[in-house]
Amino acid sequence: MIRTARLATAGLVALVLALACIIAPATAQSGANEAEVTALRPLVDALTKGSFDATQAQINRLAETGNPAVVPVLEALGEGDLYERKSDGMAVIAKRSGSSYALTDPLTGADLGQMSRGGVDKIRVNNRLRRVIRAALGALTLRAPDPADRLAAAQAVFKAADPDMIASLDAAIAAEADDTIRATMEQARAAAVLASDMPLADKQEAIDILANRGDRDALSLLIGASNDSDGELAASAREGIARVERLQAVWDTARNIWFGLSLGSVLLLAAIGLAITFGVMGVINMAHGEMVMLGAYTTFVVQNLFRELAPDFFGYSLAVALPAAFLVAGLVGVAIERGIIRFLHNRPLETLLATWGVSLILQQAVRTIFGPTNQEVGNPDFMSGAFEIGQLTITYNRLWIVVFALVVFFTLLIAMKFTRFGLNVRAVTQNRRMAASMGIRTPWVDALTFGLGSGIAGIAGVALSQIDNVSPNLGQSYIIDSFMVVVFGGVGNLWGTLFGAMTLGVANKFLEPYAGAVLAKILVLVFIILFIQKRPRGLFALKGRAVES
């Protein structure tokens, strides 16, 4: 809880300083006019007098002016750069310059010359005053012309929950025309009301507003109100907590489903090529994960070439990496099939051991060429960032991978259904001997199918490079899950692979909060073992004489 609060405070500091920087340049360029300076000067100079409580009251008075000219004053005060000039009691910004201080007028930015250390006295602030300053800087942007600035300011004031900001919020709410921003300001006011000594009815209304907000920040405020109060207010806070927890349960379910579909799309990309080769040839290819790894390293090489030769076109690097990864992994797959696997037909144990040895060779080759450490692969602009649906945050890279996985799946499905090659593959899968007797060159179908499966694993590596570490061990993270998907969905059945990948992905994400990531995978594995005892061919078993025999 303490760590979370510190992180939230750090984020709030960065946010409000960023907002202040939006206003400060304009202020520095144009400066405050003479009338504004005359009106603000006594308020600024009053910061030099009195206790911390008096300084806090003066900060709030400056914020209530709504004048952006006071932003540099408050920034300097928060950063410890605001001093009192002893000769006349004027508040100045003082920066060390050699053995003396360079003085600047905080309102006009005018140079006030140099002064010795003894000629100025620092205006001290504590952590409480720094929080007040952050809230005041936020309040100054509550009525900024830019809606984005006003929204960010309202969010900053919500985090601060300072009762002294209620008056500023009331004025901003009355003037706000944007419904979304007004709602955020009302929530910020509710947070401030809960921390104030306002009447019970006002606090109960604030609890209702926060309960309707329904996020974890609101929950924290309501829990604090419940712990710090009793009687009717505590009962209202507990009721609000229950409402937020019910809403959070709904959003947690939505998050688990989305994260499960995201994981499922990754498993689909990793398993779909394996489903083809396993279904057609019955080969347990332990080097399939290394095909994924080769695709990821191909992406790394392509991006490095773009960085060196065409940095302005880096956003197109993935468009080049996809076919390149398919070709590299596909050619390696054909070489493995022609050089090793074709001599081991109907010998599953020897095939497993041989492909496992190939996987070790490929891993060591990559370590020798690229080194054992993780390699940097960048995200194009269109895959960077995120957007929100309610309280569900969806990152663009995950979204594009889900879309990409479905595109690959349906492209492969169409190829299997409506091309001559796909017809040959399905024929060999269902009855190899009959297909051979009909003139289909089964050895070449095996080679091309193995190359196709490896090529798809390669483009899966391109996708995984955007969300995972690119290292020699990348493929090992997905090989076991890929086999589970294939066995669960049905060997050689693409629809079964899709259903199996999505089902196992969602199941993992729903189990992880209760059992942890490792135990969740173990539970899924146990479920699959029990499942194949009842349905050895998986959910969607292929039909065919050879398959069923």
Side-chain angles (χ1 to χ4, degrees), residues 19-85:
L19 292 172
C21 288
I22 295 171
I23 298 174
T27 304
Q29 290 174 7
S30 61
N33 61 44
E34 188 174 347
E36 289 176 335
V37 170
T38 302
L40 292 174
R41 181 73 67 190
L43 296 176
V44 174
D45 290 345
L47 291 169
T48 65
K49 302 173 178 64
S51 62
F52 286 144
D53 289 338
T55 302
Q56 178 176 343
Q58 205 59 33
I59 291 169
N60 290 330
R61 290 190 188 97
L62 287 170
E64 287 170 4
T65 65
N67 194 324
V70 304
V71 169
V73 178
L74 296 179
E75 282 185 319
L77 181 61
E79 293 167 5
D81 292 331
L82 198 66
Y83 286 71
E84 177 188 3
R85 189 166 60 183

Side-chain angles (χ1 to χ4, degrees), residues 158-159 161 187-188 190-191 194 206-226 236-245 247-248 391:
F158 175 85
K159 296 282 188 181
Q187 293 161 3
L194 270 189
I207 287 172
D208 187 60
I209 292 172
L210 293 174
N212 288 334
R213 177 183 172 109
D215 63 0
R216 299 192 186 280
D217 290 333
L219 182 62
S220 298
L221 290 171
L222 293 174
I223 291 173
S226 175
S236 298
R238 286 193 294 270
E239 182 181 345
I241 291 169
R243 287 170 55 190
V244 174
E245 287 176 342
L247 184 60
Q248 282 296 306
Q391 296 181 35

Side-chain angles (χ1 to χ4, degrees), residues 3-234:
R3 185 168 177 246
T4 303
R6 288 174 178 169
L7 290 173
T9 302
L12 181 57
V13 172
L15 173 64
V16 175
L17 288 178
L19 292 172
C21 288
I22 295 171
I23 298 174
T27 304
Q29 290 174 7
S30 61
N33 61 44
E34 188 174 347
E36 289 176 335
V37 170
T38 302
L40 292 174
R41 181 73 67 190
L43 296 176
V44 174
D45 290 345
L47 291 169
T48 65
K49 302 173 178 64
S51 62
F52 286 144
D53 289 338
T55 302
Q56 178 176 343
Q58 205 59 33
I59 291 169
N60 290 330
R61 290 190 188 97
L62 287 170
E64 287 170 4
T65 65
N67 194 324
V70 304
V71 169
V73 178
L74 296 179
E75 282 185 319
L77 181 61
E79 293 167 5
D81 292 331
L82 198 66
Y83 286 71
E84 177 188 3
R85 189 166 60 183
K86 291 181 179 180
S87 60
D88 57 3
M90 179 181 177
V92 296
I93 295 175
K95 298 289 183 70
R96 185 176 290 277
S97 176
S99 59
S100 59
Y101 281 87
L103 306 187
T104 306
D105 189 326
L107 288 174
T108 64
D111 183 7
L112 299 178
Q114 302 277 333
M115 183 163 284
S116 65
R117 174 67 185 86
V120 292
D121 196 13
K122 185 173 184 176
I123 303 174
R124 302 192 178 277
V125 295
N126 56 17
N127 288 335
R128 176 170 60 89
L129 283 181
R130 290 187 183 94
R131 288 194 295 270
V132 173
I133 291 168
R134 290 195 295 270
L137 285 169
L140 285 168
T141 53
L142 284 173
R143 303 182 67 174
D146 189 344
D149 292 344
R150 299 199 303 275
L151 180 61
Q155 292 168 343
V157 176
F158 175 85
K159 296 282 188 181
D162 184 0
D164 293 328
M165 300 307 302
I166 293 176
S168 299
L169 285 165
D170 287 337
I173 291 169
E176 184 56 60
D178 187 290
D179 292 339
T180 301
I181 299 175
R182 188 190 307 111
T184 305
M185 289 179 176
E186 289 171 350
Q187 293 161 3
R189 185 184 186 279
V193 167
L194 270 189
S196 72
D197 55 359
M198 293 182 69
L200 175 63
D202 291 330
K203 291 191 174 184
Q204 287 177 327
E205 182 182 356
I207 287 172
D208 187 60
I209 292 172
L210 293 174
N212 288 334
R213 177 183 172 109
D215 63 0
R216 299 192 186 280
D217 290 333
L219 182 62
S220 298
L221 290 171
L222 293 174
I223 291 173
S226 175
N227 294 335
D228 296 340
S229 59
D230 51 21
E232 290 185 38
L233 183 60

Side-chain angles (χ1 to χ4, degrees), residues 375-399:
Q375 302 297 334
E376 179 187 359
V377 175
N379 284 4
D381 291 340
F382 71 91
M383 292 186 72
S384 302
F387 65 95
E388 292 186 354
I389 300 176
Q391 296 181 35
L392 175 63
T393 301
I394 296 177
T395 56
Y396 285 112
N397 59 353
R398 290 278 181 177
L399 178 62

